[in-house]
Amino acid sequence: MSQQLPTDITSVSHNRSFDGWQNVYRHYSQVLNCQMNFGVYLPPQAESQSCPVLYWLSGLTCTEQNFITKAGAQQYAAKYGLIVVAPDTSPRGCNLPGEEESWDLGTGAGFYVNATQMPWAKHYRMYDYVVSELPQVIAANFPVLSDRRGIFGHSMGGYGALAIALKNPGMFKSISAFAPIVAPSQVPWGQKAFRNYLGDNESDWIGYDPTYLVKLTSERLPILIDQGDADQFLDEQLRPDIFAKACAEVNHPLTLRKQLGYDHSYYFIASFIGDHFAHHAAALGK
């Protein structure tokens, strides 16, 4: 997607935090054909200068609220002078058949792909939304340095961050993830989503699979992944060692940290979010 899209936004909430502002906005997405919310944290530095921008992608069942209320990110965004954007995880209220039947497909489970299968194809285009439309909206409304972007996320969103960065070399200067679904083509969550959104042809799936994409990209941005060893989804759904092996095969720089006793929750994310901000700030020049 490269066409210019409308960039009008409406304020939903506006809260002071660490001398900056945690805001939520709503806009009509032409890509998704529905209203969408997104969070934006504006650090105090943004009052007088343009700042690098860091995109956060959330996991299954989440809205824009989970990250901005639970991760404790604002203090680090203020420290490093980073604008942080947190979109919703899927279209909502589209009244599609099956949209509300399960927590891992449909509402709250957009999987950051462009759906090609009906009934999803008209609305479920979260890949284009994150890669093209949302950055246009952000650039038109906030003082961001659009050539200094980073991306990170959790679980489904960690997968989304990896896939989007690897598919778009040059768009981001930093990548990290918490407990990402690194091999969606090989695990139940990813297989269910891809089959419904993309169809039964598995060759169409690998174009969104980080374990495959990392072998194709010529860009070698260092990747930081934190994974709790007590994560209830570790062995069946997350499989970080598959991604580590793929990175090793092509000498892609990866720091994979196994965190003792940590699970899949935001308690885990909040414990290590500061390290991820430091990782991104170093790459973004702040």
PDB file of all heavy atoms in Angstrom, residues 12-47:
ATOM      1  N   VAL A  12      -9.798  10.164  22.464  1.00  0.00           N
ATOM      2  CA  VAL A  12     -10.628   9.317  23.332  1.00  0.00           C
ATOM      3  C   VAL A  12     -10.282   9.553  24.798  1.00  0.00           C
ATOM      4  O   VAL A  12     -11.155   9.654  25.656  1.00  0.00           O
ATOM      5  CB  VAL A  12     -10.443   7.827  22.984  1.00  0.00           C
ATOM      6  CG1 VAL A  12     -11.191   6.927  23.963  1.00  0.00           C
ATOM      7  CG2 VAL A  12     -10.896   7.548  21.550  1.00  0.00           C
ATOM      8  N   SER A  13      -8.981   9.640  25.103  1.00  0.00           N
ATOM      9  CA  SER A  13      -8.547   9.893  26.481  1.00  0.00           C
ATOM     10  C   SER A  13      -7.199  10.575  26.466  1.00  0.00           C
ATOM     11  O   SER A  13      -6.443  10.486  25.491  1.00  0.00           O
ATOM     12  CB  SER A  13      -8.490   8.590  27.290  1.00  0.00           C
ATOM     13  OG  SER A  13      -7.552   7.685  26.727  1.00  0.00           O
ATOM     14  N   HIS A  14      -6.872  11.254  27.600  1.00  0.00           N
ATOM     15  CA  HIS A  14      -5.699  12.132  27.659  1.00  0.00           C
ATOM     16  C   HIS A  14      -5.241  12.158  29.113  1.00  0.00           C
ATOM     17  O   HIS A  14      -5.887  12.776  29.956  1.00  0.00           O
ATOM     18  CB  HIS A  14      -6.132  13.522  27.165  1.00  0.00           C
ATOM     19  CG  HIS A  14      -5.060  14.544  27.096  1.00  0.00           C
ATOM     20  ND1 HIS A  14      -3.940  14.422  26.316  1.00  0.00           N
ATOM     21  CD2 HIS A  14      -4.956  15.769  27.720  1.00  0.00           C
ATOM     22  CE1 HIS A  14      -3.188  15.518  26.436  1.00  0.00           C
ATOM     23  NE2 HIS A  14      -3.784  16.339  27.287  1.00  0.00           N
ATOM     24  N   ASN A  15      -4.141  11.449  29.435  1.00  0.00           N
ATOM     25  CA  ASN A  15      -3.715  11.308  30.819  1.00  0.00           C
ATOM     26  C   ASN A  15      -2.239  11.664  30.988  1.00  0.00           C
ATOM     27  O   ASN A  15      -1.384  11.145  30.271  1.00  0.00           O
ATOM     28  CB  ASN A  15      -3.945   9.881  31.319  1.00  0.00           C
ATOM     29  CG  ASN A  15      -5.406   9.499  31.304  1.00  0.00           C
ATOM     30  OD1 ASN A  15      -5.874   8.849  30.369  1.00  0.00           O
ATOM     31  ND2 ASN A  15      -6.149   9.900  32.310  1.00  0.00           N
ATOM     32  N   ARG A  16      -1.959  12.504  31.979  1.00  0.00           N
ATOM     33  CA  ARG A  16      -0.580  12.881  32.298  1.00  0.00           C
ATOM     34  C   ARG A  16       0.156  11.676  32.878  1.00  0.00           C
ATOM     35  O   ARG A  16      -0.379  10.957  33.722  1.00  0.00           O
ATOM     36  CB  ARG A  16      -0.579  14.021  33.313  1.00  0.00           C
ATOM     37  CG  ARG A  16       0.763  14.730  33.488  1.00  0.00           C
ATOM     38  CD  ARG A  16       1.087  15.562  32.293  1.00  0.00           C
ATOM     39  NE  ARG A  16       2.149  16.534  32.583  1.00  0.00           N
ATOM     40  CZ  ARG A  16       2.921  17.089  31.660  1.00  0.00           C
ATOM     41  NH1 ARG A  16       2.758  16.753  30.378  1.00  0.00           N
ATOM     42  NH2 ARG A  16       3.832  17.971  31.973  1.00  0.00           N
ATOM     43  N   SER A  17       1.383  11.458  32.421  1.00  0.00           N
ATOM     44  CA  SER A  17       2.165  10.314  32.906  1.00  0.00           C
ATOM     45  C   SER A  17       3.648  10.599  32.716  1.00  0.00           C
ATOM     46  O   SER A  17       4.091  10.836  31.594  1.00  0.00           O
ATOM     47  CB  SER A  17       1.775   9.038  32.141  1.00  0.00           C
ATOM     48  OG  SER A  17       2.505   7.927  32.609  1.00  0.00           O
ATOM     49  N   PHE A  18       4.404  10.594  33.812  1.00  0.00           N
ATOM     50  CA  PHE A  18       5.845  10.825  33.771  1.00  0.00           C
ATOM     51  C   PHE A  18       6.190  12.079  32.950  1.00  0.00           C
ATOM     52  O   PHE A  18       7.093  12.071  32.119  1.00  0.00           O
ATOM     53  CB  PHE A  18       6.580   9.588  33.251  1.00  0.00           C
ATOM     54  CG  PHE A  18       6.523   8.433  34.205  1.00  0.00           C
ATOM     55  CD1 PHE A  18       5.525   7.472  34.089  1.00  0.00           C
ATOM     56  CD2 PHE A  18       7.437   8.314  35.238  1.00  0.00           C
ATOM     57  CE1 PHE A  18       5.447   6.416  34.987  1.00  0.00           C
ATOM     58  CE2 PHE A  18       7.369   7.262  36.148  1.00  0.00           C
ATOM     59  CZ  PHE A  18       6.374   6.313  36.017  1.00  0.00           C
ATOM     60  N   ASP A  19       5.445  13.139  33.219  1.00  0.00           N
ATOM     61  CA  ASP A  19       5.630  14.448  32.584  1.00  0.00           C
ATOM     62  C   ASP A  19       5.331  14.453  31.083  1.00  0.00           C
ATOM     63  O   ASP A  19       5.586  15.450  30.405  1.00  0.00           O
ATOM     64  CB  ASP A  19       7.046  14.994  32.837  1.00  0.00           C
ATOM     65  CG  ASP A  19       7.279  15.319  34.306  1.00  0.00           C
ATOM     66  OD1 ASP A  19       6.309  15.742  34.975  1.00  0.00           O
ATOM     67  OD2 ASP A  19       8.415  15.154  34.783  1.00  0.00           O
ATOM     68  N   GLY A  20       4.818  13.362  30.583  1.00  0.00           N
ATOM     69  CA  GLY A  20       4.338  13.307  29.215  1.00  0.00           C
ATOM     70  C   GLY A  20       2.847  13.034  29.227  1.00  0.00           C
ATOM     71  O   GLY A  20       2.170  13.242  30.237  1.00  0.00           O
ATOM     72  N   TRP A  21       2.338  12.522  28.094  1.00  0.00           N
ATOM     73  CA  TRP A  21       0.902  12.272  27.981  1.00  0.00           C
ATOM     74  C   TRP A  21       0.636  10.908  27.362  1.00  0.00           C
ATOM     75  O   TRP A  21       1.157  10.597  26.294  1.00  0.00           O
ATOM     76  CB  TRP A  21       0.234  13.348  27.125  1.00  0.00           C
ATOM     77  CG  TRP A  21       0.241  14.693  27.777  1.00  0.00           C
ATOM     78  CD1 TRP A  21       1.135  15.707  27.589  1.00  0.00           C
ATOM     79  CD2 TRP A  21      -0.688  15.155  28.762  1.00  0.00           C
ATOM     80  NE1 TRP A  21       0.822  16.774  28.383  1.00  0.00           N
ATOM     81  CE2 TRP A  21      -0.305  16.472  29.113  1.00  0.00           C
ATOM     82  CE3 TRP A  21      -1.820  14.594  29.373  1.00  0.00           C
ATOM     83  CZ2 TRP A  21      -0.998  17.231  30.047  1.00  0.00           C
ATOM     84  CZ3 TRP A  21      -2.510  15.350  30.300  1.00  0.00           C
ATOM     85  CH2 TRP A  21      -2.102  16.652  30.631  1.00  0.00           C
ATOM     86  N   GLN A  22      -0.160  10.104  28.085  1.00  0.00           N
ATOM     87  CA  GLN A  22      -0.655   8.860  27.515  1.00  0.00           C
ATOM     88  C   GLN A  22      -2.035   9.128  26.937  1.00  0.00           C
ATOM     89  O   GLN A  22      -3.004   9.373  27.662  1.00  0.00           O
ATOM     90  CB  GLN A  22      -0.728   7.746  28.563  1.00  0.00           C
ATOM     91  CG  GLN A  22      -1.278   6.441  28.007  1.00  0.00           C
ATOM     92  CD  GLN A  22      -0.436   5.891  26.873  1.00  0.00           C
ATOM     93  OE1 GLN A  22       0.716   5.524  27.082  1.00  0.00           O
ATOM     94  NE2 GLN A  22      -0.984   5.823  25.671  1.00  0.00           N
ATOM     95  N   ASN A  23      -2.109   9.105  25.618  1.00  0.00           N
ATOM     96  CA  ASN A  23      -3.352   9.417  24.916  1.00  0.00           C
ATOM     97  C   ASN A  23      -3.885   8.197  24.178  1.00  0.00           C
ATOM     98  O   ASN A  23      -3.122   7.292  23.822  1.00  0.00           O
ATOM     99  CB  ASN A  23      -3.116  10.542  23.899  1.00  0.00           C
ATOM    100  CG  ASN A  23      -2.603  11.814  24.551  1.00  0.00           C
ATOM    101  OD1 ASN A  23      -2.954  12.114  25.688  1.00  0.00           O
ATOM    102  ND2 ASN A  23      -1.775  12.555  23.834  1.00  0.00           N
ATOM    103  N   VAL A  24      -5.177   8.192  23.950  1.00  0.00           N
ATOM    104  CA  VAL A  24      -5.819   7.210  23.075  1.00  0.00           C
ATOM    105  C   VAL A  24      -6.646   7.978  22.060  1.00  0.00           C
ATOM    106  O   VAL A  24      -7.324   8.956  22.407  1.00  0.00           O
ATOM    107  CB  VAL A  24      -6.698   6.222  23.865  1.00  0.00           C
ATOM    108  CG1 VAL A  24      -7.455   5.292  22.917  1.00  0.00           C
ATOM    109  CG2 VAL A  24      -5.854   5.410  24.839  1.00  0.00           C
ATOM    110  N   TYR A  25      -6.576   7.524  20.813  1.00  0.00           N
ATOM    111  CA  TYR A  25      -7.300   8.174  19.723  1.00  0.00           C
ATOM    112  C   TYR A  25      -8.115   7.134  18.956  1.00  0.00           C
ATOM    113  O   TYR A  25      -7.842   5.936  19.000  1.00  0.00           O
ATOM    114  CB  TYR A  25      -6.318   8.853  18.756  1.00  0.00           C
ATOM    115  CG  TYR A  25      -5.481   9.916  19.406  1.00  0.00           C
ATOM    116  CD1 TYR A  25      -4.230   9.613  19.938  1.00  0.00           C
ATOM    117  CD2 TYR A  25      -5.941  11.234  19.501  1.00  0.00           C
ATOM    118  CE1 TYR A  25      -3.458  10.591  20.551  1.00  0.00           C
ATOM    119  CE2 TYR A  25      -5.177  12.211  20.107  1.00  0.00           C
ATOM    120  CZ  TYR A  25      -3.933  11.893  20.633  1.00  0.00           C
ATOM    121  OH  TYR A  25      -3.172  12.855  21.234  1.00  0.00           O
ATOM    122  N   ARG A  26      -9.104   7.660  18.216  1.00  0.00           N
ATOM    123  CA  ARG A  26      -9.918   6.817  17.344  1.00  0.00           C
ATOM    124  C   ARG A  26      -9.907   7.429  15.943  1.00  0.00           C
ATOM    125  O   ARG A  26      -9.865   8.647  15.785  1.00  0.00           O
ATOM    126  CB  ARG A  26     -11.346   6.729  17.871  1.00  0.00           C
ATOM    127  CG  ARG A  26     -12.294   5.882  17.016  1.00  0.00           C
ATOM    128  CD  ARG A  26     -13.666   5.741  17.664  1.00  0.00           C
ATOM    129  NE  ARG A  26     -13.573   5.032  18.940  1.00  0.00           N
ATOM    130  CZ  ARG A  26     -14.011   5.510  20.106  1.00  0.00           C
ATOM    131  NH1 ARG A  26     -14.574   6.711  20.168  1.00  0.00           N
ATOM    132  NH2 ARG A  26     -13.894   4.805  21.209  1.00  0.00           N
ATOM    133  N   HIS A  27      -9.925   6.565  14.942  1.00  0.00           N
ATOM    134  CA  HIS A  27     -10.044   7.046  13.565  1.00  0.00           C
ATOM    135  C   HIS A  27     -10.741   5.984  12.732  1.00  0.00           C
ATOM    136  O   HIS A  27     -10.857   4.820  13.148  1.00  0.00           O
ATOM    137  CB  HIS A  27      -8.660   7.379  12.972  1.00  0.00           C
ATOM    138  CG  HIS A  27      -7.847   6.177  12.592  1.00  0.00           C
ATOM    139  ND1 HIS A  27      -7.368   5.967  11.312  1.00  0.00           N
ATOM    140  CD2 HIS A  27      -7.434   5.102  13.308  1.00  0.00           C
ATOM    141  CE1 HIS A  27      -6.687   4.844  11.265  1.00  0.00           C
ATOM    142  NE2 HIS A  27      -6.704   4.290  12.458  1.00  0.00           N
ATOM    143  N   TYR A  28     -11.215   6.384  11.574  1.00  0.00           N
ATOM    144  CA  TYR A  28     -11.796   5.419  10.655  1.00  0.00           C
ATOM    145  C   TYR A  28     -10.698   4.898   9.750  1.00  0.00           C
ATOM    146  O   TYR A  28     -10.060   5.659   9.020  1.00  0.00           O
ATOM    147  CB  TYR A  28     -12.920   6.014   9.814  1.00  0.00           C
ATOM    148  CG  TYR A  28     -13.602   4.958   8.978  1.00  0.00           C
ATOM    149  CD1 TYR A  28     -14.605   4.171   9.526  1.00  0.00           C
ATOM    150  CD2 TYR A  28     -13.199   4.718   7.664  1.00  0.00           C
ATOM    151  CE1 TYR A  28     -15.209   3.173   8.783  1.00  0.00           C
ATOM    152  CE2 TYR A  28     -13.802   3.712   6.920  1.00  0.00           C
ATOM    153  CZ  TYR A  28     -14.795   2.939   7.484  1.00  0.00           C
ATOM    154  OH  TYR A  28     -15.376   1.938   6.747  1.00  0.00           O
ATOM    155  N   SER A  29     -10.470   3.604   9.792  1.00  0.00           N
ATOM    156  CA  SER A  29      -9.445   2.982   8.961  1.00  0.00           C
ATOM    157  C   SER A  29     -10.026   2.603   7.610  1.00  0.00           C
ATOM    158  O   SER A  29     -10.948   1.786   7.530  1.00  0.00           O
ATOM    159  CB  SER A  29      -8.886   1.734   9.650  1.00  0.00           C
ATOM    160  OG  SER A  29      -8.117   0.965   8.727  1.00  0.00           O
ATOM    161  N   GLN A  30      -9.472   3.197   6.566  1.00  0.00           N
ATOM    162  CA  GLN A  30      -9.881   2.831   5.211  1.00  0.00           C
ATOM    163  C   GLN A  30      -9.408   1.420   4.864  1.00  0.00           C
ATOM    164  O   GLN A  30     -10.058   0.718   4.083  1.00  0.00           O
ATOM    165  CB  GLN A  30      -9.280   3.828   4.210  1.00  0.00           C
ATOM    166  CG  GLN A  30      -9.751   5.257   4.399  1.00  0.00           C
ATOM    167  CD  GLN A  30     -11.172   5.475   3.940  1.00  0.00           C
ATOM    168  OE1 GLN A  30     -11.680   4.729   3.100  1.00  0.00           O
ATOM    169  NE2 GLN A  30     -11.826   6.483   4.471  1.00  0.00           N
ATOM    170  N   VAL A  31      -8.298   1.015   5.432  1.00  0.00           N
ATOM    171  CA  VAL A  31      -7.746  -0.308   5.154  1.00  0.00           C
ATOM    172  C   VAL A  31      -8.604  -1.407   5.781  1.00  0.00           C
ATOM    173  O   VAL A  31      -8.861  -2.441   5.157  1.00  0.00           O
ATOM    174  CB  VAL A  31      -6.299  -0.391   5.674  1.00  0.00           C
ATOM    175  CG1 VAL A  31      -5.782  -1.823   5.676  1.00  0.00           C
ATOM    176  CG2 VAL A  31      -5.385   0.497   4.831  1.00  0.00           C
ATOM    177  N   LEU A  32      -9.067  -1.167   7.003  1.00  0.00           N
ATOM    178  CA  LEU A  32      -9.817  -2.181   7.743  1.00  0.00           C
ATOM    179  C   LEU A  32     -11.330  -2.002   7.633  1.00  0.00           C
ATOM    180  O   LEU A  32     -12.081  -2.874   8.067  1.00  0.00           O
ATOM    181  CB  LEU A  32      -9.407  -2.158   9.215  1.00  0.00           C
ATOM    182  CG  LEU A  32      -7.913  -2.320   9.492  1.00  0.00           C
ATOM    183  CD1 LEU A  32      -7.628  -2.213  10.981  1.00  0.00           C
ATOM    184  CD2 LEU A  32      -7.397  -3.645   8.943  1.00  0.00           C
ATOM    185  N   ASN A  33     -11.762  -0.875   7.090  1.00  0.00           N
ATOM    186  CA  ASN A  33     -13.190  -0.588   6.937  1.00  0.00           C
ATOM    187  C   ASN A  33     -13.942  -0.613   8.258  1.00  0.00           C
ATOM    188  O   ASN A  33     -15.022  -1.205   8.379  1.00  0.00           O
ATOM    189  CB  ASN A  33     -13.832  -1.577   5.946  1.00  0.00           C
ATOM    190  CG  ASN A  33     -13.300  -1.403   4.543  1.00  0.00           C
ATOM    191  OD1 ASN A  33     -13.465  -0.353   3.938  1.00  0.00           O
ATOM    192  ND2 ASN A  33     -12.660  -2.438   4.030  1.00  0.00           N
ATOM    193  N   CYS A  34     -13.344   0.044   9.260  1.00  0.00           N
ATOM    194  CA  CYS A  34     -13.996   0.135  10.562  1.00  0.00           C
ATOM    195  C   CYS A  34     -13.286   1.191  11.399  1.00  0.00           C
ATOM    196  O   CYS A  34     -12.197   1.651  11.048  1.00  0.00           O
ATOM    197  CB  CYS A  34     -13.992  -1.208  11.288  1.00  0.00           C
ATOM    198  SG  CYS A  34     -12.352  -1.763  11.796  1.00  0.00           S
ATOM    199  N   GLN A  35     -13.903   1.553  12.516  1.00  0.00           N
ATOM    200  CA  GLN A  35     -13.261   2.435  13.482  1.00  0.00           C
ATOM    201  C   GLN A  35     -12.180   1.681  14.242  1.00  0.00           C
ATOM    202  O   GLN A  35     -12.373   0.519  14.602  1.00  0.00           O
ATOM    203  CB  GLN A  35     -14.294   2.981  14.476  1.00  0.00           C
ATOM    204  CG  GLN A  35     -15.367   3.875  13.871  1.00  0.00           C
ATOM    205  CD  GLN A  35     -14.845   5.257  13.537  1.00  0.00           C
ATOM    206  OE1 GLN A  35     -13.836   5.713  14.066  1.00  0.00           O
ATOM    207  NE2 GLN A  35     -15.550   5.942  12.644  1.00  0.00           N
ATOM    208  N   MET A  36     -11.058   2.344  14.486  1.00  0.00           N
ATOM    209  CA  MET A  36      -9.953   1.732  15.222  1.00  0.00           C
ATOM    210  C   MET A  36      -9.436   2.683  16.293  1.00  0.00           C
ATOM    211  O   MET A  36      -9.349   3.900  16.077  1.00  0.00           O
ATOM    212  CB  MET A  36      -8.803   1.377  14.277  1.00  0.00           C
ATOM    213  CG  MET A  36      -9.108   0.225  13.350  1.00  0.00           C
ATOM    214  SD  MET A  36      -9.252  -1.375  14.184  1.00  0.00           S
ATOM    215  CE  MET A  36      -7.539  -1.714  14.586  1.00  0.00           C
ATOM    216  N   ASN A  37      -9.059   2.122  17.435  1.00  0.00           N
ATOM    217  CA  ASN A  37      -8.393   2.867  18.494  1.00  0.00           C
ATOM    218  C   ASN A  37      -6.897   2.580  18.468  1.00  0.00           C
ATOM    219  O   ASN A  37      -6.465   1.484  18.097  1.00  0.00           O
ATOM    220  CB  ASN A  37      -8.926   2.465  19.864  1.00  0.00           C
ATOM    221  CG  ASN A  37     -10.271   3.075  20.177  1.00  0.00           C
ATOM    222  OD1 ASN A  37     -10.875   3.748  19.341  1.00  0.00           O
ATOM    223  ND2 ASN A  37     -10.755   2.851  21.382  1.00  0.00           N
ATOM    224  N   PHE A  38      -6.106   3.562  18.884  1.00  0.00           N
ATOM    225  CA  PHE A  38      -4.684   3.324  19.109  1.00  0.00           C
ATOM    226  C   PHE A  38      -4.200   4.237  20.230  1.00  0.00           C
ATOM    227  O   PHE A  38      -4.691   5.353  20.406  1.00  0.00           O
ATOM    228  CB  PHE A  38      -3.853   3.540  17.838  1.00  0.00           C
ATOM    229  CG  PHE A  38      -3.938   4.922  17.241  1.00  0.00           C
ATOM    230  CD1 PHE A  38      -3.052   5.923  17.621  1.00  0.00           C
ATOM    231  CD2 PHE A  38      -4.907   5.219  16.296  1.00  0.00           C
ATOM    232  CE1 PHE A  38      -3.130   7.189  17.079  1.00  0.00           C
ATOM    233  CE2 PHE A  38      -4.989   6.491  15.733  1.00  0.00           C
ATOM    234  CZ  PHE A  38      -4.102   7.483  16.132  1.00  0.00           C
ATOM    235  N   GLY A  39      -3.239   3.753  20.992  1.00  0.00           N
ATOM    236  CA  GLY A  39      -2.624   4.537  22.050  1.00  0.00           C
ATOM    237  C   GLY A  39      -1.367   5.215  21.539  1.00  0.00           C
ATOM    238  O   GLY A  39      -0.646   4.654  20.713  1.00  0.00           O
ATOM    239  N   VAL A  40      -1.092   6.426  22.043  1.00  0.00           N
ATOM    240  CA  VAL A  40       0.151   7.134  21.742  1.00  0.00           C
ATOM    241  C   VAL A  40       0.670   7.741  23.044  1.00  0.00           C
ATOM    242  O   VAL A  40      -0.044   8.535  23.678  1.00  0.00           O
ATOM    243  CB  VAL A  40      -0.052   8.257  20.704  1.00  0.00           C
ATOM    244  CG1 VAL A  40       1.266   9.023  20.492  1.00  0.00           C
ATOM    245  CG2 VAL A  40      -0.540   7.694  19.390  1.00  0.00           C
ATOM    246  N   TYR A  41       1.870   7.361  23.438  1.00  0.00           N
ATOM    247  CA  TYR A  41       2.522   8.057  24.544  1.00  0.00           C
ATOM    248  C   TYR A  41       3.451   9.112  23.975  1.00  0.00           C
ATOM    249  O   TYR A  41       4.331   8.810  23.159  1.00  0.00           O
ATOM    250  CB  TYR A  41       3.320   7.114  25.443  1.00  0.00           C
ATOM    251  CG  TYR A  41       3.982   7.879  26.577  1.00  0.00           C
ATOM    252  CD1 TYR A  41       3.221   8.366  27.632  1.00  0.00           C
ATOM    253  CD2 TYR A  41       5.354   8.163  26.548  1.00  0.00           C
ATOM    254  CE1 TYR A  41       3.810   9.109  28.653  1.00  0.00           C
ATOM    255  CE2 TYR A  41       5.941   8.901  27.566  1.00  0.00           C
ATOM    256  CZ  TYR A  41       5.165   9.377  28.613  1.00  0.00           C
ATOM    257  OH  TYR A  41       5.738  10.121  29.616  1.00  0.00           O
ATOM    258  N   LEU A  42       3.241  10.366  24.402  1.00  0.00           N
ATOM    259  CA  LEU A  42       4.089  11.478  24.003  1.00  0.00           C
ATOM    260  C   LEU A  42       4.983  11.846  25.181  1.00  0.00           C
ATOM    261  O   LEU A  42       4.490  12.332  26.212  1.00  0.00           O
ATOM    262  CB  LEU A  42       3.238  12.676  23.598  1.00  0.00           C
ATOM    263  CG  LEU A  42       2.339  12.472  22.375  1.00  0.00           C
ATOM    264  CD1 LEU A  42       1.394  13.659  22.211  1.00  0.00           C
ATOM    265  CD2 LEU A  42       3.170  12.267  21.122  1.00  0.00           C
ATOM    266  N   PRO A  43       6.286  11.595  25.089  1.00  0.00           N
ATOM    267  CA  PRO A  43       7.189  11.918  26.196  1.00  0.00           C
ATOM    268  C   PRO A  43       7.330  13.423  26.337  1.00  0.00           C
ATOM    269  O   PRO A  43       6.975  14.186  25.416  1.00  0.00           O
ATOM    270  CB  PRO A  43       8.503  11.278  25.751  1.00  0.00           C
ATOM    271  CG  PRO A  43       8.475  11.355  24.265  1.00  0.00           C
ATOM    272  CD  PRO A  43       7.020  11.114  23.900  1.00  0.00           C
ATOM    273  N   PRO A  44       7.852  13.905  27.459  1.00  0.00           N
ATOM    274  CA  PRO A  44       8.000  15.358  27.622  1.00  0.00           C
ATOM    275  C   PRO A  44       8.849  15.998  26.534  1.00  0.00           C
ATOM    276  O   PRO A  44       8.621  17.152  26.163  1.00  0.00           O
ATOM    277  CB  PRO A  44       8.643  15.493  29.007  1.00  0.00           C
ATOM    278  CG  PRO A  44       9.110  14.130  29.392  1.00  0.00           C
ATOM    279  CD  PRO A  44       8.255  13.169  28.665  1.00  0.00           C
ATOM    280  N   GLN A  45       9.803  15.258  25.977  1.00  0.00           N
ATOM    281  CA  GLN A  45      10.661  15.803  24.918  1.00  0.00           C
ATOM    282  C   GLN A  45       9.861  16.194  23.674  1.00  0.00           C
ATOM    283  O   GLN A  45      10.269  17.069  22.911  1.00  0.00           O
ATOM    284  CB  GLN A  45      11.739  14.782  24.543  1.00  0.00           C
ATOM    285  CG  GLN A  45      12.735  14.464  25.641  1.00  0.00           C
ATOM    286  CD  GLN A  45      12.288  13.323  26.541  1.00  0.00           C
ATOM    287  OE1 GLN A  45      11.088  13.057  26.681  1.00  0.00           O
ATOM    288  NE2 GLN A  45      13.244  12.639  27.156  1.00  0.00           N
ATOM    289  N   ALA A  46       8.710  15.520  23.474  1.00  0.00           N
ATOM    290  CA  ALA A  46       7.916  15.771  22.270  1.00  0.00           C
ATOM    291  C   ALA A  46       7.252  17.141  22.276  1.00  0.00           C
ATOM    292  O   ALA A  46       6.742  17.594  21.247  1.00  0.00           O
ATOM    293  CB  ALA A  46       6.852  14.685  22.114  1.00  0.00           C
ATOM    294  N   GLU A  47       7.264  17.828  23.420  1.00  0.00           N
ATOM    295  CA  GLU A  47       6.696  19.169  23.471  1.00  0.00           C
ATOM    296  C   GLU A  47       7.573  20.186  22.747  1.00  0.00           C
ATOM    297  O   GLU A  47       7.090  21.258  22.360  1.00  0.00           O
ATOM    298  CB  GLU A  47       6.489  19.583  24.927  1.00  0.00           C
ATOM    299  CG  GLU A  47       5.453  18.732  25.642  1.00  0.00           C
ATOM    300  CD  GLU A  47       5.225  19.183  27.080  1.00  0.00           C
ATOM    301  OE1 GLU A  47       5.782  20.239  27.469  1.00  0.00           O
ATOM    302  OE2 GLU A  47       4.490  18.484  27.811  1.00  0.00           O
TER     303      GLU A  47
END
